[in-house]
Amino acid sequence: MKISYQVIGSLMLILAACSKNTDTPVNTELQNNADKVMAFIQSMGYKSSNIVDNGDAYIVAGDVRFPKNMQVPDTKIRTEHRWTGSKLSVANAANIRIKIDSSMTSMTAEIKIAINQWNDSRAPGLHFSLSAGDYDILIKDADLGTGNCGQATFPSGGAAGNLILVNKTYIASHTQAQRQRTIMHEMGHTISLMHTNETEGLLTNSNLPDILSLMNGGQCNTGPFILSAGDKRAVAWLYP
């Protein structure tokens, strides 16, 4: 029985197409977790229209990163303070190690001031420290575009958000106090504090409005650069 080369070629194309389809599995587990992360963000009160898909993470309120592979907390946990149930474990909160990436060494002074201010917040269970080796949070430079001072990852699984991105070139012309404010503000996000001046996703134990809150959003280069009394009450409630 003779088979033409044309028929053989057609069969090979069909087999190749079938093989290609079977070699590209869909990562349903990752997608399912991303869907859970989206649902968690929405449970905090954020609208879908205000959640930006940034590839490997969702960005909320301009500067808070929710990685799509993060461990999603129990969204049923609630208190009278509208707590979402995602904070650091007691052990992790007591020793949060920050590493300064080589791209951010020029702002080491600002980072140290930010660390000292959080450590003086009168939250007994919270302490930050600098580390040259193992770390919980990495601070590094990133081009985030005009108008964006920084971004930070929200905590999950009892651990601090592991990344703070600082738009170093953009904030270089700001005063040292305002550069320190940017870093300190983003550190607040890594331990679960959201923007005090937003009704969506509110996560503070302070009276609103608090115009003195360092955690107010949309105040790049204009906001307070020390913790307000309300900020201190909020973090002391989270980490007693």
Side-chain angles (χ1 to χ4, degrees), residues 157-202:
N162 63 358
L163 181 64
I164 292 176
L165 300 176
V166 177
N167 198 350
K168 190 174 74 169
T169 301
Y170 181 70
I171 71 171
S173 61
H174 298 178
T175 65
Q176 184 186 52
Q178 287 297 329
R179 293 195 297 270
Q180 163 251 309
R181 179 203 185 270
T182 291
I183 294 164
M184 194 173 177
H185 177 96
E186 300 308 334
M187 288 171 64
H189 289 321
T190 68
I191 59 173
S192 278
L193 290 174
M194 298 299 285
H195 292 155
T196 310
N197 59 346
E198 295 178 355
T199 56
E200 291 182 319
L202 183 63

Side-chain angles (χ1 to χ4, degrees), residues 110-212:
E110 289 88 334
I111 294 171
K112 287 182 177 179
I113 294 171
I115 288 174
N116 289 337
Q117 282 213 43
W118 277 115
N119 288 342
D120 291 339
S121 65
R122 297 198 296 271
L126 183 73
H127 185 79
F128 289 94
S129 63
L130 279 178
S131 174
D134 294 338
Y135 63 90
D136 302 297
I137 302 172
L138 178 67
I139 299 182
K140 63 183 298 185
D141 175 36
D143 182 0
L144 302 174
T146 302
N148 297 310
C149 286
Q151 286 182 359
T153 301
F154 200 70
S156 69
N162 63 358
L163 181 64
I164 292 176
L165 300 176
V166 177
N167 198 350
K168 190 174 74 169
T169 301
Y170 181 70
I171 71 171
S173 61
H174 298 178
T175 65
Q176 184 186 52
Q178 287 297 329
R179 293 195 297 270
Q180 163 251 309
R181 179 203 185 270
T182 291
I183 294 164
M184 194 173 177
H185 177 96
E186 300 308 334
M187 288 171 64
H189 289 321
T190 68
I191 59 173
S192 278
L193 290 174
M194 298 299 285
H195 292 155
T196 310
N197 59 346
E198 295 178 355
T199 56
E200 291 182 319
L202 183 63
L203 191 61
T204 61
N205 182 27
S206 58
N207 296 323
L208 293 178
D210 182 1
I211 61 173
L212 299 179

Side-chain angles (χ1 to χ4, degrees), residues 44 77-85 192-194 199 201-208 230 233-238:
M44 296 174 67
I77 297 177
R78 292 289 185 271
T79 74
E80 63 274 18
H81 302 299
R82 290 179 280 181
W83 170 238
T84 64
S192 278
L193 290 174
M194 298 299 285
T199 56
L202 183 63
L203 191 61
T204 61
N205 182 27
S206 58
N207 296 323
L208 293 178
R233 286 196 299 271
V235 74
W237 173 76
L238 284 173

Side-chain angles (χ1 to χ4, degrees), residues 83-112:
W83 170 238
T84 64
S86 181
K87 67 174 184 177
L88 281 63
S89 68
V90 172
N92 288 337
N95 183 28
I96 307 170
R97 301 162 300 175
I98 291 181
K99 182 173 183 178
I100 303 174
D101 184 77
S102 58
S103 63
M104 282 296 296
T105 53
S106 63
M107 292 189 183
T108 297
E110 289 88 334
I111 294 171
K112 287 182 177 179

